[in-house]
Amino acid sequence: MSAYTTETLSRAKCTPCEGGTEALPRLTITSHLQLLDGWALSADGKSIEKRWKCKNFVEAMKLANLIGDLAEHEQHHPDLHVTGYRELRVVLTTHAIGGLSDNDFIIAAKIDKLDLTGKS
């Protein structure tokens, strides 16, 4: 897709990536990151992540489960880390290509649109 907006990212569907597909170039990554809320690029440029500090463990798990349901529906799965009983860190990368694909930004945009009170 060309000329992404936050809305086009959040409405797009993930498509399977196979080995041999090129990871996104840094310029595209930078452009896509500007469309997201609070996501950061890793030092190696191969993943993006976002952190939440939840009220308690139950709320962290609710958020992790909402994200898990979304990821399963899209068939593009982040790494989810619950630490300190209430902190959730979500890391997105496309393992098959060893870097970032449009799918990572699609899922990130969809996560940003989740109603974190329990509905999406």
Side-chain angles (χ1 to χ4, degrees):
M1 235 190 258
S2 60
Y4 279 108
T5 66
T6 303
E7 196 59 31
T8 58
L9 275 174
S10 67
R11 289 185 182 199
K13 297 292 286 173
C14 290
T15 56
C17 280
E18 304 297 330
T21 301
E22 294 289 322
L24 293 175
R26 185 71 130 201
L27 186 59
T28 302
I29 291 168
T30 302
S31 175
H32 283 6
L33 267 176
Q34 293 175 2
L35 302 174
L36 302 176
D37 182 28
W39 291 86
L41 184 63
S42 64
D44 66 5
K46 294 183 178 185
S47 65
I48 57 173
E49 73 173 53
K50 186 171 180 175
R51 297 170 185 257
W52 288 264
K53 188 170 225 171
C54 301
K55 181 178 174 182
N56 54 40
F57 180 76
V58 171
E59 294 301 315
M61 292 308 299
K62 282 182 186 177
L63 177 54
N65 284 323
L66 277 173
I67 293 169
D69 289 344
L70 169 66
E72 186 63 17
H73 181 264
E74 292 291 326
Q75 288 298 296
H76 191 72
H77 304 92
D79 294 335
L80 303 173
H81 307 269
V82 177
T83 57
Y85 83 87
R86 66 182 185 149
E87 296 175 18
L88 176 65
R89 180 170 61 105
V90 176
V91 179
L92 288 161
T93 189
T94 302
H95 298 284
I97 64 171
L100 290 162
S101 72
D102 285 332
N103 290 342
D104 299 303
F105 293 93
I106 290 168
I107 291 293
K110 288 177 186 257
I111 289 170
D112 284 347
K113 288 195 71 127
L114 286 174
D115 176 350
L116 300 182
T117 61
K119 305 172 205 113
S120 60

